[in-house]
Amino acid sequence: QLQLQESGSGLVKPSQTLSLTCAVSGGSISSGGYSWSWIRQPPGKGLEWIGYIYHSGSTYYNPSLKSRVTISVDRSKNQFSLKLSSVTAADTAVYYCARVFEDCSSTSCIVGWFDPWGQGTLVTVSS
Amino acid sequence: EIVMTQSPATLSVSPGERATLSCRASQSVSSNLAWYQQKPGQAPRLLIYGASTRATGIPARFSGSGSGTEFTLTISSLQSEDFAVYYCQQYNNWLAFGQGTKVEIK
């Protein structure tokens, strides 16, 4: 059974860089047919997709965050990471990592739904 | 950018009753839609993908329907463990979530 676990700093100062890691267990991060994603949820609010890294290593980011986001993968450690630069209080949220399934037709595949999710980690931006 | 709008924001239902949740896309997403359940303090859990396919282990009382721009999640007979927030998510054009519907005890 695949499991994901987020880790990283829970408190980040404004203007600094948020760094999180997602450790994957029970399966290989190099398995084809999946991407690996970060999603966040500000306290009391809804879900926002941040970005994902394809199994090929290509990355795709939410246009609203693209200039500040970097997602990378370390296949030797079976984990992937998130860096979000120049953070403000608006970046305070629970950050989740998740596996993303591909949905394939006879002619093409698209990145689809999130399953499973990590338990989430709260990151607070404050001086 | 595709905007997902869920209604109502809050749905008050008695245990054993049917709950019907709606999700509307600002443009067609075909059947590329998923539903999630989130309980307080927990991560979201996948319920439905492909608009109508239940995820592994999801009870049959959960069903999804719709295509294009209009989608529905139906919980046929609400159990105590079903009171939660539900989100829809489109994956036809990038990825985007609705703002959620809270299902509360009436």
Side-chain angles (χ1 to χ4, degrees):
Chain A
Q1 179 182 352
L2 193 80
Q3 292 186 318
L4 296 87
Q5 178 68 57
E6 303 90 347
S7 62
S9 176
L11 180 63
V12 182
K13 289 180 167 46
S15 80
Q16 293 191 342
T17 296
L18 177 161
S19 295
L20 296 174
T21 296
C22 180
V24 178
S25 58
S28 173
I29 202 168
S30 298
S31 297
Y34 306 110
S35 297
W36 304 90
S37 184
W38 290 95
I39 305 109
R40 70 181 183 179
Q41 184 172 37
K45 296 188 178 181
L47 300 164
E48 179 182 33
W49 165 66
I50 298 171
Y52 62 85
I53 186 162
Y54 204 54
H55 57 78
S56 65
S58 301
T59 51
Y60 300 85
Y61 303 134
N62 186 322
S64 68
L65 298 169
K66 183 177 181 179
S67 63
R68 300 193 291 129
V69 175
T70 302
I71 295 175
S72 59
V73 65
D74 185 336
R75 300 186 191 282
S76 67
K77 294 182 178 180
N78 215 39
Q79 64 186 32
F80 62 107
S81 299
L82 168 70
K83 291 187 185 299
L84 181 65
S85 63
S86 304
V87 298
T88 70
D91 295 310
T92 293
V94 174
Y95 285 75
Y96 296 100
C97 59
R99 180 178 62 176
V100 195
F101 275 74
E102 287 184 7
D103 190 11
C104 295
S105 66
S106 58
T107 55
S108 64
C109 295
I110 59 173
V111 172
W113 55 93
F114 303 96
D115 184 51
W117 298 56
Q119 65 184 26
T121 187
L122 175 63
V123 178
T124 302
V125 179
S126 175
S127 56
Chain B
E1 177 191 358
I2 298 178
V3 176
M4 307 302 293
T5 303
Q6 293 185 240
S7 62
T10 303
L11 185 62
S12 298
V13 185
S14 299
E17 290 188 341
R18 175 188 294 260
T20 302
L21 289 66
S22 295
C23 176
R24 173 176 294 179
S26 60
Q27 59 186 269
S28 177
V29 297
S30 186
S31 294
N32 296 320
L33 187 106
W35 289 95
Y36 302 86
Q37 176 193 68
Q38 187 179 33
K39 298 179 181 179
Q42 296 185 16
R45 176 176 71 144
L46 176 70
L47 298 175
I48 301 282
Y49 61 91
S52 61
T53 302
R54 275 190 303 277
T56 302
I58 301 303
R61 64 181 182 273
F62 291 92
S63 63
S65 63
S67 66
T69 62
E70 301 283 345
F71 300 88
T72 300
L73 175 70
T74 301
I75 311 171
S76 60
S77 177
L78 270 161
Q79 306 298 302
S80 58
E81 62 267 29
D82 300 334
F83 292 96
V85 179
Y86 292 83
Y87 293 94
C88 62
Q89 175 234 328
Q90 69 83 16
Y91 49 91
N92 192 67
N93 185 343
W94 292 97
L95 305 171
F97 293 93
Q99 81 280 15
T101 290
K102 181 180 181 180
V103 177
E104 64 175 25
I105 301 174
K106 185 174 182 180

